[in-house]
Amino acid sequence: MAEPQRPSDLEDEATVSSAAPADPEAASTENPYGLQEELQREIEQAIDDSRLEEVDRLASGLHSADMADLLERLHPDDRQTVVEVIRPALQSDAQFLTYLNPDIREDVVEQLDPEELARALTGLDSDDAFTVIEELDEDVREAVLNAMPTIARRWIEEGLNYPEYSAGRLMQREFIAVPMFWTVGKTIDFLRTAEDLPDEFYDVFVIDPRYRPTGDIKISKILRSKRSVRLADLVEEEIRSVPAAMDQEEVAFLFRQYDLTSAAVVDADGRLIGVVTVDDVVDVIDEEAEDDLFKMGGVREGDLYHDVMETSRARFAWLGVNLVTAVVASSVIAMFEGTIQQIVALAVLMPIVASMGGNAGTQTLTVAVRAIAMKELSGHNARRVMWKEVLVGSINGVLFAVIAGAVAALWFQDILLGLVIGSAMIVTLIIAGLSGTIIPLALDRFKVDPAVASGVFLTTVTDVVGFFAFLGLAAWVLL
Amino acid sequence: MAEPQRPSDLEDEATVSSAAPADPEAASTENPYGLQEELQREIEQAIDDSRLEEVDRLASGLHSADMADLLERLHPDDRQTVVEVIRPALQSDAQFLTYLNPDIREDVVEQLDPEELARALTGLDSDDAFTVIEELDEDVREAVLNAMPTIARRWIEEGLNYPEYSAGRLMQREFIAVPMFWTVGKTIDFLRTAEDLPDEFYDVFVIDPRYRPTGDIKISKILRSKRSVRLADLVEEEIRSVPAAMDQEEVAFLFRQYDLTSAAVVDADGRLIGVVTVDDVVDVIDEEAEDDLFKMGGVREGDLYHDVMETSRARFAWLGVNLVTAVVASSVIAMFEGTIQQIVALAVLMPIVASMGGNAGTQTLTVAVRAIAMKELSGHNARRVMWKEVLVGSINGVLFAVIAGAVAALWFQDILLGLVIGSAMIVTLIIAGLSGTIIPLALDRFKVDPAVASGVFLTTVTDVVGFFAFLGLAAWVLL
């Protein structure tokens, strides 16, 4: 990816300080890279004093990624100012747009006119231009595309035809493909003369006459071989090409599994149409990881950058579902109002059983959801894992039965009460372990994302079981 | 990283099926790569029938990463059998060891004798050999190291001196470093003749006479330039070198932020001693993401592969902490035993308030923890985010106050009770949003990992506030 070649005070001193740290331990804690807060403050100060040339000087020293962070962190008004300042340089360096959080990018783009944006994007690799354009509103997108050169435009329109989150939307259209019968020498000569190659590439793909990839060669291999060597002697036949429609999660798995730096993307007829590079996959891996974390936490992607209303709306749904499950749990308690009236201690202790169940279940659930995403848990080992969870639940169930039982017995001077909470604890933790495995596996079987829905089902089960076991036993034993 | 060159029935057919999918949509759902379950079953069958040569044939066709998955999925006894079968080929291909989950690897290694392991590891890149050796028990490690060639041995011993999870432990010692005054031609000639270079490399590092990296050149640039071109004209001066002691999380940030494929690792004097490559960083990114997910879920890394006792022990601690917080919450309820005795409905409804608070807080917490890890939340925008969370809490608080209030009022035919639960809901959700931001920020300030401890503190706060607000208001208004 194209990096700005401007010298940078920030980076220079950063590099020095990190290249020769006073003491290595210190270096591991300090963070010499990324946007430094001092610089951000300097820029904010310069904006307040409306010393715009100073803002320009400081900002233009930033790497695109740091520039993006700056814009994300600044107050919306300051952001506008900075964009106005760097606007003239946009055409020569719009890379930072690709690093921006989509919500912030939308604001920035609104500030530019379509022709300006089109010119800026034309300078980027096709996949980077695509990243920006695919997020634009229909009308803006049209205007931008109309202002772009034909090929770039065709590439992007083709990309938009592939499903969201597919390899077709990740791929870059610039790549190196050569016939098998070439030599290293011929290939090198070709690379030295050819026009509009990608800024950076890691593999040379070997194609057959029908433009199907039949192998790839790491360029370090080419670099190390004599000119006379035939590509056929270097080629890695076992090529793992990616159908353009393949989901990006699958693509990430592929790169992760086989340590790829780039992969050939093929159309439905198996013809080479693009390449996915590892830097894009790193972003995908981050997204997918954040996705699972957020889904389990009941929030949506981009939450941090959404405004108050949008965030409230997005979170409302999840809380609504939770309210329903909470009411279900309460109705279980309601069944035992009479019992509670006679032994108020039950009201005091019942949350303990339920919350232990919820936490034990969440532990299992977390492991299961991650394992399913990493393809480490499925039909083949489900039974073994479930059985293990039952045993773990039993062991911790017994241990906490003793502890909680003792606490309750001492607190309320009632041994029977201790026995009741203890037995309830055992039942609840076993069920928690079991449902922590079964629920995500079942959802996955029915093609529902386990990360989203599992938590709700789980807490419903653990609450219901927890309250029912405890209050039920109490009603039976203590009355 | 070295991939086995053997032909593979599995991979071939996989490639075909993916290179020309019947219909592209289908291709996105099916998964042509990775260890196929049919193959696993075939192998398990062959083991049962003790057709070992068949096992060998099937297993030897696997890519190292798939072989690792196979061993992870197999029953321990079957795993032993497979290891025995592939044992003779170990020396020529031990790569799969690096892909194994550490716990499984320990079992496999126990099956081999040190000399055998040493020979096998000598064939790997230094970073891969290191990965395996750093996990070995003291005594085994000694024996293996003694059986290794001197240089490899020295490299590994040096690596072990760097802190855990530091760049020094990730780096590979094979790299390309050339002086600035060389030309492209001289560099290529050097690469063609030089011995023991890395299997694969992406950058050529330019060093000064004191062996300090002063720049790097993407090899694709070298490949595209005429022999006469001077490296000085290609070099990227703005090099981001990594101190060997830098934490791997910082390294991952660096690669992610600047789209690096490899980075120079320098010692305390700034001398080039190794290189970290993107494939290792991808693993780090996965680890860190899993780490945060697991910490928030209260489980330890490798949980899936730990035996029952180990898993129970690991999870016990977290549940123990939770028991304490649950008891704290209960003691709040105990303060209102009298009130509950008179109005049992309170016992029925109180879990609703607490659980809504817990979930709302977790939503905020999830966003905050991730944002801190991604360097998107810190002092600079803390106040803004907190303020936003208070507003979000108020808005959803009011909405759910109305809903829950209505439910309670209708359920127990008591308007006042509805008002009480409603007001408690508002208070709780605001506090939840606030503490969901403050707690992780505070922990981070005190250098405690927010992902681990935040959850416990949060639920304690939300439970206490939830119960106190609801029962307190009830006692005040309804009695």
Side-chain angles (χ1 to χ4, degrees), chain A residues 39-291:
Chain A
L39 184 78
Q40 181 188 343
R41 273 191 293 276
E42 275 182 66
I43 292 175
E44 282 167 334
Q45 192 52 53
I47 294 172
D48 295 347
D49 319 346
S50 54
R51 288 179 285 110
L52 296 188
E53 61 298 324
E54 175 69 358
V55 175
D56 189 21
R57 193 185 65 76
L58 293 169
S60 62
L62 290 174
H63 179 285
S64 314
D66 298 328
M67 169 66 84
D69 288 347
L70 175 69
L71 294 175
E72 285 170 3
R73 293 186 193 173
L74 286 177
H75 182 286
D77 305 344
D78 293 357
R79 186 190 306 146
Q80 278 214 332
T81 317
V82 173
V83 172
E84 281 310 319
V85 168
I86 61 173
R87 201 167 175 165
L90 203 59
Q91 205 171 335
S92 64
D93 174 27
Q95 194 67 47
F96 72 91
L97 286 172
T98 64
Y99 293 98
L100 276 178
N101 167 286
D103 300 277
I104 305 291
R105 193 192 296 140
E106 213 180 315
D107 296 355
V108 173
V109 166
E110 270 173 16
Q111 217 172 316
L112 312 169
D113 47 72
E115 295 67 26
E116 193 178 14
L117 189 57
R119 273 197 309 280
L121 296 179
T122 310
L124 303 178
D125 272 343
S126 55
D127 57 336
D128 294 331
F130 187 81
T131 316
V132 178
I133 292 177
E134 75 176 329
E135 306 260 354
L136 297 176
D137 304 334
E138 203 50 63
D139 50 340
V140 189
R141 186 194 287 165
E142 270 320 300
V144 174
L145 282 174
N146 290 330
M148 288 184 85
T150 333
I151 293 190
R153 185 195 168 145
R154 213 193 65 239
W155 277 354
I156 285 165
E157 285 169 339
E158 282 171 11
L160 292 168
N161 292 333
Y162 291 107
E164 259 197 296
Y165 309 116
S166 69
R169 291 192 167 213
L170 277 182
M171 72 183 173
Q172 127 185 18
R173 302 298 293 263
E174 303 88 353
F175 55 80
I176 321 284
V178 300
M180 182 72 93
F181 59 82
W182 279 18
T183 62
V184 166
K186 178 142 178 55
T187 309
I188 291 180
D189 296 339
F190 164 72
L191 292 174
R192 284 179 179 158
T193 53
E195 289 307 321
D196 55 40
L197 297 184
D199 288 320
E200 210 180 308
F201 53 94
Y202 315 108
D203 299 80
V204 164
F205 297 100
V206 173
I207 49 171
D208 67 15
R210 288 155 65 201
Y211 224 78
R212 295 185 169 188
T214 57
D216 72 283
I217 309 176
K218 307 244 156 284
I219 59 174
S220 48
K221 263 194 191 170
I222 294 178
L223 208 47
R224 298 199 52 192
S225 309
K226 303 235 172 309
R227 287 184 63 88
S228 56
V229 174
R230 291 169 51 255
L231 297 187
D233 304 332
L234 301 177
V235 73
E236 178 97 33
E237 298 281 5
E238 206 183 89
I239 183 172
R240 296 188 176 78
S241 51
V242 172
M246 182 184 260
D247 184 84
Q248 64 175 17
E249 215 166 335
E250 284 301 323
V251 178
F253 170 79
L254 190 63
F255 273 70
R256 186 190 283 127
Q257 181 83 342
Y258 304 117
D259 298 315
L260 306 181
T261 35
S262 67
V265 179
V266 295
D267 64 14
D269 308 324
R271 278 188 306 268
L272 182 59
I273 55 172
V275 54
V276 177
T277 52
V278 68
D279 55 306
D280 303 317
V281 173
V282 166
D283 299 337
V284 170
I285 290 176
D286 271 331
E287 278 172 39
E288 300 290 346
E290 178 163 300
D291 215 43

Side-chain angles (χ1 to χ4, degrees), chain A residues 19 28 33 37 66 99 192 225 241 245 256-259 270 286 290 298 303 306 315 363 370 388-389, chain B residues 19 28 33 66 99 192 225 241 245 256-259 270 286 290 298 303 306 315 363 370 378 388-389:
Chain A
S28 62
Y33 296 119
E37 295 205 5
D66 298 328
Y99 293 98
R192 284 179 179 158
S225 309
S241 51
R256 186 190 283 127
Q257 181 83 342
Y258 304 117
D259 298 315
D286 271 331
E290 178 163 300
D303 184 294
H306 291 161
R315 295 190 191 171
Q363 289 182 317
R370 175 71 179 178
K388 174 188 163 183
E389 289 299 337
Chain B
S28 62
Y33 297 119
D66 298 327
Y99 292 98
R192 285 180 179 157
S225 309
S241 50
R256 186 191 284 127
Q257 182 82 342
Y258 303 116
D259 297 316
D286 270 331
E290 178 164 301
D303 183 294
H306 291 159
R315 295 191 193 170
Q363 289 182 315
R370 176 69 179 178
S378 61
K388 173 187 163 184
E389 288 299 336

Side-chain angles (χ1 to χ4, degrees), chain B residues 387-404:
Chain B
W387 180 233
K388 173 187 163 184
E389 288 299 336
V390 171
L391 292 176
V392 173
S394 322
I395 294 173
N396 281 332
V398 171
L399 293 172
F400 284 106
V402 175
I403 302 171

Side-chain angles (χ1 to χ4, degrees), chain A residues 391-411:
Chain A
L391 292 175
V392 173
S394 321
I395 293 173
N396 281 333
V398 171
L399 292 172
F400 284 106
V402 174
I403 301 171
V407 172
L410 293 171
W411 189 349

Side-chain angles (χ1 to χ4, degrees), chain B residues 375-386:
Chain B
K375 301 181 188 295
E376 293 174 359
L377 173 58
S378 61
H380 69 273
N381 58 351
R383 190 174 287 99
R384 209 186 321 151
V385 174
M386 261 182 269

Side-chain angles (χ1 to χ4, degrees), chain A residues 426-477:
Chain A
I426 296 174
V427 176
T428 311
L429 290 203
I430 292 175
I431 300 293
L434 203 52
S435 36
T437 333
I438 292 175
I439 291 172
L441 279 170
L443 291 172
D444 187 51
R445 177 71 50 89
F446 296 122
K447 303 251 167 286
V448 182
D449 183 341
V452 192
S454 300
V456 184
F457 288 107
L458 178 79
T459 46
T460 314
V461 172
T462 50
D463 283 354
V464 169
V465 172
F467 289 132
F468 193 85
F470 179 58
L471 297 174
L473 271 168
W476 180 45
V477 176

